[in-house]
Amino acid sequence: MLTKVNVKWREEAVSHFMTELIDYAGLFPPAALPLPKAISNFHAYIHESDSWMLGPFVIPASRLGELIPFKAQFNDQYPLRLSVILTKSEEIETEMEAIRLFLETYKTAGTIEAIEFPLPPQINSSFLENLEKRTGSYPIYCEMTGTNDQLLNTLETIHSINQKSLKRIGIKMRMGGIAANLFPSVKQAAFVIHECQKRELALKFTAGLHHPIRQYRTEVETRMHGFVNVFTASILAYSRSVNTATIQAILLDEDPTNFSFTTDSLSWRDFTVSSADIFKARSFFAASYGSCSFNEPQEELGELTIFHGEAVR
């Protein structure tokens, strides 16, 4: 039985599930660390045995210039990998220039893995086409807000643009925050996962996913979504085209024993996907999630008795 997450597991299924799953967002609440501390953490994480679970460091474009003093800590073998958040459409040219200057300074010691952009509730195709063109070849994930009708309009517009472009625009969904009203309902989360799957839109998540299984937390006085729930639901949506009701049921499940990893599969109740399915879904649909903690999610996952196999010590 697996009890710790301290090295890469032999089990292909859980390895595919966890590889580069957690983007480190230590600058953001509730941690809200000073940049030197967050960078120090990221530097330590990339040298740990669990570094294979780590995605890029998340940072607003407006703060890229603050990274110059830390260049000596990174190199081409252990680069500072970034996911950069652009802030406003009128600042895109300035912020893309900040990206160029970061890469010019860091050279092979730094990379840009993705760009994230918060969309207004109502957008049109010309806005998104312009955003796509102005962000170069970088993958882009758009964070959406608004009513279901507005979300559907945005998803359909992005789907239409993606069909005409070599570069695919993905979706970023906020799953929580520091207060109960920042957590989307299970119904809303399932709606976005299902609609993104229908349109083949890559999906990443942010905030509120510190814990593997859905649970009530006193610090926010609400139930927090579990990252195992969210990614199991997303993988099954992609691999098995499960309906919205099934996605909701997975997201609502607070019983960890309903989730099970074997060497080459992941199961939720009567639904099973192979390690190859997990790899494909993670590669093309369920990308990653941003968390201000890297250790907490993996440590809590390692404490669960949902693994059936032998860990590599």
Side-chain angles (χ1 to χ4, degrees), residues 203-218:
L203 184 59
K204 71 185 302 184
F205 304 90
T206 190
L209 295 176
H210 289 202
H211 310 288
I213 303 297
R214 178 179 173 84
Q215 58 187 266
Y216 182 85
R217 301 293 298 189
T218 56

Side-chain angles (χ1 to χ4, degrees), residues 148-204:
N148 278 1
D149 285 344
Q150 290 170 328
L151 294 177
L152 275 178
N153 178 67
T154 298
L155 293 175
E156 194 56 40
T157 303
I158 291 175
H159 174 61
S160 177
I161 291 171
N162 284 351
Q163 288 186 311
K164 299 179 289 185
S165 172
L166 293 175
K167 183 172 99 173
R168 294 298 183 98
I169 299 175
I171 303 301
K172 175 183 172 184
M173 184 175 187
R174 188 162 296 273
M175 297 300 292
I178 58 175
N181 65 337
L182 297 176
F183 288 78
S185 68
V186 163
K187 185 176 181 180
Q188 184 178 18
F191 171 81
V192 172
I193 291 171
H194 186 246
E195 295 298 329
C196 284
Q197 181 272 327
K198 283 165 57 177
R199 294 167 176 81
E200 299 182 325
L201 302 179
L203 184 59
K204 71 185 302 184

Side-chain angles (χ1 to χ4, degrees), residues 9-22:
W9 290 314
R10 179 179 293 122
E11 281 69 14
E12 287 188 356
V14 71
S15 292
H16 289 330
F17 189 94
M18 290 299 298
T19 295
E20 297 188 12
L21 186 74
I22 306 170

Side-chain angles (χ1 to χ4, degrees), residues 110-143:
T111 63
I112 307 297
E113 307 263 319
I115 286 176
E116 304 176 18
F117 187 82
L119 292 177
Q122 294 183 312
I123 54 95
N124 54 43
S125 59
S126 61
F127 177 92
L128 284 167
E129 286 169 353
N130 188 41
L131 177 65
E132 184 220 19
K133 290 174 183 175
R134 293 164 72 187
T135 50
S137 60
Y138 301 111
I140 182 167
Y141 290 87
C142 292
E143 182 175 346

